[in-house]
């Protein structure tokens, strides 16, 4: 099969509403509005880095749903959206209140009855998926509803049957489900996953893994027959295991303006470089550079360019490979 799409992602996107920095939600008279969702964040990052990216989802046919589509399209992402009746479904939102220490950042979700919770495989334009090189989704989507979980499984299975390389970012969210429930659901999905992205913290607390990142990567690859396992470990960088070979990557220092979406930017950088034929070490380097750049940008999206990423990579010294 000739692949005509580089990357297809599937998941929820919400509108993020944020007061100006230093203001509180209870007193502000203005809110910034931006689209945000793990899988669409990855699609935007990949599209901006040169990949042909398609995002699959279900949205209400309303001004807010069209607002999401307009923003994602502006970054080059192609849409594969099923439109729902706005009388019976809605768009999820979340409120983000930036604050320094000791107050910290506050996030409030309002996603009940979102259109994505009733999504079915039959209503999605899966032709792009069947002709894609890679398919990506996260552990957030199956937590949204039984229907979303069933559709996630169906799309992963269909991608595998079409010979598409499938990646899954664990992306555990404690506000959506408890570790035991999440673990059972994740492990049911793992047979349909080729590349796993997992934070070391979640591998320990949700998947019950012990040891350092390399031990965790080997254990997960052995248990679930993943082709590649990428374990992220915050300020200590990331580890990737592929075909028995271990690759390590340090972080690129960055001033943090907004950390939301950093993990999605990491995944976007990694997948884009692999799609372009890059090695796993090269992909890790691009992932780390894209993540560093995202931290300097407000909002969920990695508004970056290939030149930006190359600049970070070329200007770095002492990178842990």
């Amino acid at each position: 099969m000739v692949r005509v799409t580089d990357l297809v992602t599937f998941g929820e996107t919400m509108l993020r509403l944020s007061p100006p920095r230093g203001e509180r939600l209870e007193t502000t008279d203005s809110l910034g509005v931006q689209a945000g969702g793990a899988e669409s964040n990855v699609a935007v990052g990949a599209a901006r880095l040169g990949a042909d990216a398609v995002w699959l989802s279900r949205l209400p046919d309303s001004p807010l749903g069209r607002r999401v589509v307009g923003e994602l399209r502006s970054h080059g992402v192609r849409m594969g959206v099923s439109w729902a009746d706005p009388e019976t479904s809605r768009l999820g939102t979340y409120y983000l209140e930036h604050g320094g220490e000791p107050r910290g950042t506050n996030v409030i979700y309002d996603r009940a009855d979102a259109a994505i919770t009733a999504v079915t495989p039959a209503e999605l334009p899966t032709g792009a998926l069947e002709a894609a090189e890679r398919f990506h989704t996260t552990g957030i989507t199956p937590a949204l509803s039984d229907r979303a979980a069933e559709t996630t499984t169906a799309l992963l299975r269909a991608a595998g049957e079409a010979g598409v390389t499938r990646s899954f970012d664990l992306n555990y969210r404690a506000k959506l489900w408890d570790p035991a429930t999440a673990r059972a659901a994740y492990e049911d999905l793992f047979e349909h996953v080729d590349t796993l992205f997992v934070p070391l913290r979640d591998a320990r607390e949700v998947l019950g893994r012990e040891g350092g990142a390399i031990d965790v990567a080997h254990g997960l690859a052995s248990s679930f027959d993943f082709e590649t396992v990428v374990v992220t470990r915050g300020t200590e960088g990331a580890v990737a295991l592929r075909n028995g070979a271990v690759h390590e990557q340090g972080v690129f220092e960055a001033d943090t303006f907004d950390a939301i979406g950093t993990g999605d930017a990491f995944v976007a950088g990694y997948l884009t470089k692999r799609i372009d034929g890059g090695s796993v070490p090269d992909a890790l380097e691009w992932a780390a550079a894209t993540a560093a750049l995202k931290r300097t940008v407000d909002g969920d999206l990695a508004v970056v360019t290939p030149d930006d990423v190359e600049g970070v990579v070329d200007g770095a010294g002492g990178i842990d490979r």
Side-chain angles (χ1 to χ4, degrees), residues 191-211:
E191 66 177 292
H192 309 296
V193 174
D194 303 303
T195 297
L196 176 71
F197 296 92
V198 58
L200 180 58
R201 176 193 65 253
D202 291 345
R204 291 169 173 167
E205 297 178 3
V206 180
L207 300 181
R209 297 286 159 164
E210 298 180 353

Side-chain angles (χ1 to χ4, degrees), residues 73-321:
R73 277 181 174 157
S74 74
H75 294 285
V77 177
R78 294 197 285 127
M79 297 292 103
V81 170
S82 169
W83 293 104
D85 184 348
E87 296 297 322
T88 57
S89 62
R90 59 186 290 268
L91 183 73
T93 58
Y94 83 95
Y95 299 83
L96 187 141
E97 182 185 82
H98 282 292
E101 296 302 330
R103 179 161 59 87
T105 295
N106 185 33
V107 178
I108 301 170
Y109 290 100
D110 180 16
R111 68 202 322 168
D113 300 320
I116 188 71
T117 60
V119 68
T120 64
E123 67 187 295
L124 296 173
T126 56
L129 170 62
E130 295 166 359
E133 181 173 336
R134 288 180 177 259
F135 173 67
H136 178 76
T137 190
T138 80
I140 296 173
T141 305
L144 299 176
S145 68
D146 290 342
R147 188 77 63 82
E150 292 165 2
T151 300
T152 301
T153 302
L155 294 181
L156 283 166
R157 183 182 292 114
E161 292 171 352
V164 177
T165 300
R166 302 156 295 180
S167 59
F168 185 83
D169 184 357
L170 201 74
N171 230 328
Y172 173 71
R173 293 291 185 267
K175 291 185 178 182
L176 290 176
W177 50 6
D178 63 86
T181 303
R183 177 177 177 173
Y186 292 154
E187 292 186 351
D188 283 345
L189 289 172
F190 283 168
E191 66 177 292
H192 309 296
V193 174
D194 303 303
T195 297
L196 176 71
F197 296 92
V198 58
L200 180 58
R201 176 193 65 253
D202 291 345
R204 291 169 173 167
E205 297 178 3
V206 180
L207 300 181
R209 297 286 159 164
E210 298 180 353
I214 295 175
D215 293 331
V216 165
H218 277 290
L220 288 170
S222 175
S223 296
F224 299 103
D225 199 29
F226 297 121
E227 292 179 0
T228 306
V229 178
V230 180
V231 182
T232 56
R233 46 188 184 180
T235 58
E236 297 180 12
V239 167
L241 173 71
R242 181 174 173 81
N243 296 330
V246 174
H247 310 277
E248 296 192 56
Q249 172 66 48
V251 300
F252 293 96
E253 292 188 8
D255 292 330
T256 301
F257 187 75
D258 188 346
I260 303 295
T262 299
D264 304 325
F266 180 96
V267 172
Y270 182 94
L271 294 179
T272 303
K273 190 52 133 177
R274 291 292 285 156
I275 288 167
D276 197 40
S279 66
V280 170
D282 288 342
L284 281 176
E285 195 170 50
W286 262 58
T290 307
L293 287 164
K294 166 60 202 72
R295 299 182 76 88
T296 70
V297 178
D298 191 32
D300 283 44
L301 304 179
V303 184
V304 299
T305 68
D307 286 345
D308 291 336
V309 176
E310 290 289 1
V312 173
V313 170
D314 293 343
I319 297 302
D320 180 7
R321 297 292 294 274

